[in-house]
Each structure stands twice: as C-alpha cells, then as structure tokens.
Amino acid sequence: NRAGTAMQNLVYPVMEEYAKKQGFSFFKEKQFSWLEAAQGISIPNGLRDRKFDVVLTTSSWKVNIETNF
C-alpha cells in the first residue's frame, strides 16, 4: 500500500543511519534464508521462506524488527 511504502521510505533511512552510528549491521526486506546463508544465523525451517522487514546484528546479538505502517 502507498502509505506503507511512504513510511518505509521515511523510517528505513533513519534506522540505517542509527545502525551505522552504533556499529550494527543493517539488513532490510530480505528472506530469512538469505540471512541464514549470509550471516550464518540459524533460522527455523518455518521462517526460511518468509521475508523480514529489518534485522540488526552485531557479533554477539541479532534483532529482527517487524514494522507495521
């Protein structure tokens, strides 16, 4: 929907900048299977084909942020 896309265009750059300042890795709108392959994060079978909104990672933790605009 257009409102959701507009909010993503406003919020994602802010989140990405914050992640960069904090030293986090920032990933948006990819499938969990990509995250598992690229980052070596174990993902349950039921989530591998689903798409995430935002994931922030460091060497010691990973956070999935789901957004609803």
Side-chain angles (χ1 to χ4, degrees):
N1 74 35
R2 290 183 303 227
T5 301
M7 290 300 294
Q8 287 174 340
N9 291 339
L10 289 171
V11 173
Y12 284 171
V14 173
M15 293 175 79
E16 187 170 16
E17 183 64 26
Y18 175 79
K20 186 184 298 183
K21 286 181 181 178
Q22 298 300 316
F24 304 155
S25 295
F26 174 86
F27 307 102
K28 69 176 182 173
E29 298 180 348
K30 296 189 183 294
Q31 286 190 309
F32 282 103
S33 60
W34 174 89
L35 189 64
E36 184 173 49
Q39 295 291 305
I41 300 169
S42 179
I43 304 293
N45 287 335
L47 292 178
R48 286 189 179 123
D49 292 332
R50 297 176 99 185
K51 196 173 184 182
F52 62 81
D53 292 329
V54 173
V55 169
L56 301 175
T57 67
T58 69
S59 60
S60 60
W61 58 262
K62 286 78 174 138
V63 175
N64 174 42
I65 301 170
E66 291 297 314
T67 57
N68 293 303
F69 300 115

